[in-house]
Amino acid sequence: MTDDGVTKEQAENDGVSHEGEGHKEAVLEQHVLDEEQLDQVQQLLPESVLTTDREPEQEAEQFTDAELNEWIEVLCLSKADEFRLIGYEHVTGKEVWACVSDKYAKHGQPPLHRIVNDILSLKVTQFMNFMTMSAFRGTHF
């Protein structure tokens, strides 16, 4: 018997120890891409990223500035499309980039992985706060 008056058998049989595992599985199932979503992601990525026959120590492919700008533009347009799907009709990719890149003004441009994360994790509330503050400042993109 434990300090709280529960026997070991009761603790093992009450299902508490397995509750966390079930929750993890449910969360993982929610984040698995279906076939259509996987096809969309594969269309956005270059072929070199999708191949799995590379050696682990192989260096990452270096993109030109034009290629990076093109990928960033695609991500911003994708985020603008996402916002339009949830009712924000007049959002553009340019405005998304203005919002995301605003925080880079002080410290310079961060690594690519951070830029991608900042674009893809941008929330509507963050975007609308930026747009409201820009309107108060009179900033025009």
Side-chain angles (χ1 to χ4, degrees):
M1 188 174 285
T2 61
D3 293 336
D4 59 357
V6 178
T7 65
K8 289 182 182 179
E9 292 84 23
Q10 288 172 329
E12 290 173 1
N13 293 330
D14 68 0
V16 173
S17 63
H18 299 291
E19 185 177 318
E21 292 174 17
H23 178 68
K24 285 182 199 175
E25 290 174 8
V27 170
L28 287 175
E29 287 176 10
Q30 290 174 351
H31 289 89
V32 174
L33 297 176
D34 63 20
E35 297 268 336
E36 184 179 330
Q37 291 171 325
L38 183 60
D39 288 342
Q40 290 174 349
V41 169
Q42 288 175 343
Q43 289 173 1
L44 292 174
L45 296 174
E47 185 65 33
S48 61
V49 174
L50 299 174
T51 57
T52 57
D53 57 347
R54 297 186 292 178
E55 294 294 322
E57 61 272 354
Q58 184 178 1
E59 287 188 31
E61 185 175 335
Q62 297 296 318
F63 295 107
T64 65
D65 285 343
E67 291 173 324
L68 288 175
N69 288 338
E70 183 180 331
W71 287 111
I72 290 171
E73 182 181 2
V74 168
L75 291 171
C76 290
L77 290 173
S78 174
K79 184 53 78 167
D81 287 342
E82 178 185 327
F83 287 171
R84 280 193 290 276
L85 284 174
I86 58 176
Y88 294 87
E89 298 291 326
H90 303 287
V91 178
T92 66
K94 185 177 179 182
E95 292 170 334
V96 169
W97 177 244
C99 176
V100 170
S101 64
D102 184 57
K103 60 182 157 185
Y104 305 149
K106 292 180 184 177
H107 303 290
Q109 191 165 337
L112 179 61
H113 68 273
R114 178 148 179 229
I115 295 171
V116 170
N117 182 56
D118 289 345
I119 294 169
L120 295 179
S121 64
L122 181 64
K123 305 288 186 240
V124 173
T125 53
Q126 293 171 303
F127 178 74
M128 293 309 292
N129 286 341
F130 170 78
M131 295 299 286
T132 303
M133 294 305 293
S134 295
F136 283 138
R137 286 189 216 123
T139 306
H140 181 66
F141 323 115

